Amino acid sequence: MEGCLFCRIVSGEIPSNKVYEDDQVYAFYDVAPQAPVHFLVVPKKHIASLSEATEEDQALLGHILLVIKDIAAELGLDDGYRVVANTGSDGGQTVMHLHFHVLGKRSLIWPPG
Ligand code: 5GP
Ligand code: ZN
């Protein structure tokens, strides 16, 4: 989608520090990390947010979670990690292309702010 920051990152138009890529998914380190390990996993398909996902996206969403699990293992997040999909304004979403934050290598508090 034209003008979308994460579509431009997926296409390579904007550089990023890639963690993983396949035909459906792109993962890259967050530019403003909130934990020693902080990366984002996005579908290559433009979906504005989780609330815009449809039945058609079921396999894609499942694939993203399994990719997250595999990357976390690869990066040695053996003590655990947090997966967050900020959604909409109350959710604190600032980039309107569905993305899953993965945070690890520190103990995270709950509830979030
Ligand atoms: P949100 O607030 O929408 O849940 O998360 C957006 C995330 O994207 C933020 O954590 C922010 O640091 C990250 N981000 C914004 N612009 C860029 C960028 O140009 N490159 C990278 N790697 N991350 C970005
Ligand atoms: Zn997009």
Side-chain angles (χ1 to χ4, degrees), residues 32-61:
Q34 301 301 312
V37 173
H38 182 181
F39 61 90
L40 304 171
V41 183
V42 308
K44 289 188 170 178
K45 171 187 176 184
H46 179 86
I47 300 170
S49 80
L50 191 57
S51 60
E52 301 295 319
T54 69
E55 284 297 316
E56 191 183 292
D57 303 314
Q58 184 172 348
L60 172 61
L61 293 172

Side-chain angles (χ1 to χ4, degrees), residues 33-37 77 79-82 103-109:
Q34 301 301 312
V37 173
L77 304 184
D79 294 331
Y81 49 90
R82 185 169 293 170
L103 301 127
K105 290 285 180 192
R106 77 171 168 87
S107 185
L108 298 158
I109 58 163

Side-chain angles (χ1 to χ4, degrees), residues 48-49 51 85-96 113:
S49 80
S51 60
N86 295 327
T87 303
S89 54
D90 274 1
Q93 184 177 5
T94 60
V95 178
M96 294 308 289

Side-chain angles (χ1 to χ4, degrees), residues 1 4-8 43-47 96-98:
M1 193 204 178
C4 169
L5 176 65
F6 287 172
C7 282
R8 294 170 74 194
K44 289 188 170 178
K45 171 187 176 184
H46 179 86
I47 300 170
M96 294 308 289
H97 179 129
L98 174 62

